[in-house]
Amino acid sequence: MNSHKQGFPRFQPVAEHALLVELGDTIDASINAQVRRLDAALSAAPFPGFTEAVPAYASLLVGFDPLVSDHDLVETAMTALLREPATLRPKGEPREVLVCYEGEFAPDLDAVAAATGLTREAVIAAHLAGDYSVFMYGFAPGYAYLAGVPEAIRLPRKPAPVRGIAAGSVLIAGPQCLVTTLIMPTGWHIIGRSPTQILREETGRPFLFEIGDDVRFRRIDRASFDAAAKLSARRSA
Amino acid sequence: MASAVIDIVQAGPLVTVQDGGRPRLMRYGVPASGPMDRGSFAIANAALGNADGAAGIEVSVGGLALECMEGSVTIALAGGGFRVTLGGHEHPSWIVAELKAGMRLTIRPGLWGSWTYLAFAGRLDAKPWLGSASTHGPSGFGGGRLMAGQRITIADAERRPARIGELDCPVSARPRHTVKVVLGPQDRFFAPETIETLLSQPFTLTDAYDRMGVRLAGPSLRPDAVLDMPSEPIARGSIQVSGDGVPAVLLADHQTTGGYPKIATIISGHLDGFAQLRSRAQVAFSAMSPQAAVEATRTRRLSQARFLARLRGD
C-alpha cells in the first residue's frame, strides 16, 4: 500500500478491519473540514461492509467487515469519495459552555498569566474571545477537542501529566481547548471549571456536540456554578 | 418466570459486567468495550443457547465468589484455566452447571489465563449505557464493576438440564505467545532496525495491565522522527509507542485517539489469545500482509461460526 513520506491522501492499513485515511499532518481548519466532508460523504454513501468512521484532526479511520471488503476495495471507495466531497451541513447556533474561572477551579491560571505576560483577567478575556469549533472527539467518552484558542494564550503542554483532575475542568494546550468529562490525568493547563455536561448518561442525546459545531464559552461566578452543578446533578439522578 | 437472586461475596478488581459491547461510537470518544476475550465469552453464551452478546460477568485473576440466595439458574463458565468450586465441589473450569439457592460458586485463578466468563440462562439485570451493559472501565458507566455485598438478579432464570456438562476448550482459546500484526499505521516514524527489533525480540507483559491495555517491557522501540503528529484514531490491538520507546497494546477499553505513533496492530483473531497472557508472560510479534490478515480472519470467522452453531445446537 502507499506509504510515501509526502503527499496526501495517504492510506494506511490498520490490522485486517480498518483503513486510516490521512489528509494532512497538522491541526488546521481546512484539513479538518476535508476530514468532515469525507466523513459526511461516506455516511451518505457507505460502501458494502462499512462498519464505522472515526474522524480526527487530519485523518479518518474507516472500519470494514473483512468478510465483505478489504483494504484495497476500501481505498478505491475512499478515493472515489474524495473526488466528490460532500457539502457540510450549515452550522447551527454555537453551543454554549459555561465556565467559572475562580479559585480552586483554575489552579493554572496564574502560571498561564505569568508565561504569557498577561494579567489573569486578560487570560480569561482571551479565552472567552476564542473562536472555537469541535474538531474531533478523542481519548475518552465525550472528550471534544476544540480548536480556536487565541494566539496570545497558546502554551505547550506541561512536561508531565498531573493526576486526578476533576471532571468539568476547562483545559488549554497550544491551539486546543477541552472540557473534561471524567476524572483523568492531564498535562494541559487547567484554567476553569464548567458545570455544562457534554457527556450525559441520558439516552436521548448523550453528547452535547456534533463534530463541526461552533462553541462559545460564557463566564459565570461561583454561585452560578454551584446552582448549575446542583441542577445537572438532580437531572442525572 | 422466576428470578434467581445472587449475592456477591467477594470480587477482585476488574470483575465487571460485559455484553457484546457498544460498537460504532468511537467518533464520540467511546470505545466498544465488551469482553477482553470475545471468543470465550461467545462460547459461554452459546453453551447455554443464549443470544450472541447476552450480558454476563467477566472475571479477572482477582477472582469472584458468589452465593445464590433464591431461585436457580443454569450457568456456563468459559475462558482461561481457572479453579472453580460449586456447592463445595471442585469443577472443571469450562462447564455448564446448575446454580441453586444456598450454593456458593467460587472462581480463582488457576494454571493459565487472565479472564473467564460467567453466563446465565436468563437475563442479568444490569444498567445499560448507550445501548450496552458493557462496563467502560475508566468511567464505570454500563453494568459496572462488581463489589462484595452487591446483589444481582437474573430475570427469567431458567434451568436447562440438557445443557449441563463439561465444555471443550478449543485450542484457539489458549494464551498466544506468538502474535500476528499488520505493520502501521504509523510505522514510518520508526527506523527499519526498530521494526526489526519489534519483530525479532521477545517482549514481556508488565503489571500495568487493565482493560484499557497493557504496557510491555523489552528492548526500546524509540521512534526515529520527532513526534509531531496530531492525534489520530486508535483501533483495539494497536501497539502504541511512547516518546521514550516503551510499547503498550491497547485493548477493550482503549482510548479512541492518541498522539503517539502506532508501530503495528495485532490482528483481531489473535487478540483473545493475547489477552489471556498474564503479566510477566513473554510474547513475540510477527508481521503479516494486510491481505493475508483479511484472509486469515475470513477462515477463522467461518470455523468459529460453525463451532458456536454446533454448541448452540442449531
Side-chain angles (χ1 to χ4, degrees):
Chain A
M1 304 273 300
N2 304 344
S3 187
H4 320 290
K5 271 269 176 216
Q6 304 292 326
F8 296 103
R10 189 159 57 193
F11 301 98
Q12 307 283 358
V14 178
E16 84 297 357
H17 52 79
L19 186 73
L20 182 66
V21 184
E22 295 177 313
L23 298 176
D25 51 11
T26 51
I27 299 177
D28 174 276
S30 75
I31 295 169
N32 187 252
Q34 276 183 54
V35 172
R36 285 185 286 120
R37 279 199 296 271
L38 183 61
D39 180 43
L42 177 58
S43 111
F47 56 83
F50 168 69
T51 54
E52 82 174 310
V54 189
Y57 283 120
S59 57
L60 186 70
L61 183 72
V62 182
F64 61 86
D65 179 354
L67 292 193
V68 182
S69 196
D70 65 25
H71 302 88
D72 289 339
L73 287 169
V74 175
E75 181 172 330
T76 305
M78 299 313 293
T79 304
L81 289 173
L82 280 165
R83 278 195 220 103
E84 307 162 25
T87 44
L88 293 172
R89 68 190 164 82
K91 292 206 178 203
E93 280 295 295
R95 305 269 173 207
E96 186 176 74
V97 174
L98 306 177
V99 49
C100 174
Y101 297 96
E102 293 170 28
E104 84 262 22
F105 288 169
D108 297 332
L109 197 51
D110 285 327
V112 171
T116 55
L118 299 171
T119 63
R120 279 173 71 101
E121 275 306 313
V123 171
I124 293 167
H127 183 250
L128 287 166
D131 200 8
Y132 300 97
S133 69
V134 180
F135 270 29
M136 62 179 234
Y137 278 98
F139 190 65
Y143 271 49
Y145 286 69
L146 311 177
V149 172
E151 201 77 58
I153 55 168
R154 288 187 189 174
L155 290 176
R157 66 188 70 183
K158 299 172 190 170
V162 180
R163 301 185 73 82
I165 302 308
S169 293
V170 178
L171 315 177
I172 55 170
Q176 311 171 85
C177 180
L178 179 66
V179 183
T180 66
T181 58
L182 304 172
I183 299 170
M184 281 275 183
T186 184
W188 293 22
H189 308 275
I190 308 154
I191 61 163
R193 180 91 56 91
S194 174
T196 306
Q197 289 195 310
I198 296 167
L199 173 72
R200 318 163 214 206
E201 273 203 82
E202 69 198 46
T203 43
R205 187 150 157 262
F207 306 96
L208 178 64
F209 312 127
E210 286 300 324
I211 295 163
D213 282 354
D214 287 335
V215 175
R216 195 158 50 203
F217 288 97
R218 183 157 68 83
R219 184 178 191 172
I220 54 170
D221 62 16
R222 181 60 195 252
S224 315
F225 177 93
D226 290 340
K230 203 186 285 172
L231 194 70
S232 55
R234 203 177 313 137
R235 213 182 299 136
S236 60
Chain B
M1 248 181 295
S3 294
V5 176
I6 292 167
D7 279 358
I8 305 298
V9 178
Q10 178 270 332
L14 306 180
V15 176
T16 59
V17 175
Q18 296 295 333
D19 63 8
R22 54 180 73 77
R24 292 162 180 60
L25 289 167
M26 288 223 292
R27 63 168 50 242
Y28 297 109
V30 182
S33 296
M36 294 286 277
D37 174 353
R38 292 177 278 199
S40 296
F41 174 77
I43 289 172
N45 270 326
L48 292 170
N50 282 352
D52 284 350
I57 296 172
E58 179 175 84
V59 182
S60 69
V61 288
L64 176 71
L66 52 79
E67 191 170 333
C68 184
M69 308 307 287
E70 277 174 41
S72 61
V73 60
T74 304
I75 59 169
L77 276 167
F82 282 63
R83 287 192 302 122
V84 175
T85 60
L86 181 61
H89 301 285
E90 292 254 359
H91 278 265
S93 67
W94 288 58
I95 194 168
V96 175
E98 192 78 22
L99 178 67
K100 285 185 245 182
M103 279 172 95
R104 184 174 281 216
L105 168 69
T106 66
I107 303 170
R108 300 272 170 255
L111 289 178
W112 61 275
S114 292
W115 310 97
T116 194
Y117 295 90
L118 171 60
F120 302 94
R123 197 161 35 77
L124 170 61
D125 192 15
K127 194 176 172 190
W129 178 57
L130 301 173
S132 161
S134 279
T135 307
H136 172 256
S139 67
F141 289 162
R145 178 186 161 188
L146 295 188
M147 307 286 238
Q150 187 181 342
R151 170 163 286 193
I152 59 175
T153 303
I154 311 300
D156 304 334
E158 287 183 17
R159 299 173 64 177
R160 296 178 188 158
R163 292 190 173 269
I164 286 174
E166 203 173 331
L167 292 171
D168 291 330
C169 166
V171 173
S172 60
R174 305 281 306 180
R176 190 176 274 283
H177 293 272
T178 304
V179 167
K180 294 275 190 203
V181 300
V182 172
L183 289 176
Q186 282 101 28
D187 50 317
R188 66 182 180 282
F189 283 98
F190 300 88
E193 306 85 77
T194 310
I195 305 270
E196 183 53 35
T197 302
L198 170 75
L199 300 177
S200 60
Q201 304 283 316
F203 291 83
T204 305
L205 281 76
T206 66
D207 291 327
Y209 181 10
D210 61 19
R211 286 184 41 87
M212 291 183 76
V214 56
R215 201 182 309 140
L216 304 179
S220 171
L221 298 176
R222 194 179 290 276
D224 194 29
V226 180
L227 288 180
D228 186 25
M229 61 176 252
S231 286
E232 294 204 334
I234 291 178
R236 183 168 172 168
S238 288
I239 305 175
Q240 175 177 268
V241 183
S242 62
D244 52 6
V246 177
V249 178
L250 300 173
L251 297 167
D253 288 346
H254 65 90
Q255 59 193 73
T256 59
T257 62
Y260 293 118
K262 276 69 75 183
I263 191 169
T265 311
I266 297 176
I267 64 168
S268 35
H270 284 190
L271 273 176
D272 291 349
F274 177 81
Q276 287 294 1
L277 295 172
R278 288 184 182 168
S279 295
R280 293 186 275 282
Q282 279 208 340
V283 64
F285 300 104
S286 76
M288 72 198 304
S289 72
Q291 192 56 40
V294 166
E295 273 147 28
T297 294
R298 288 174 180 164
T299 310
R300 180 187 59 85
R301 291 244 302 251
L302 225 60
S303 66
Q304 189 184 34
R306 273 195 220 109
F307 182 88
L308 292 175
R310 211 165 40 233
L311 205 53
R312 266 194 306 265
D314 295 353

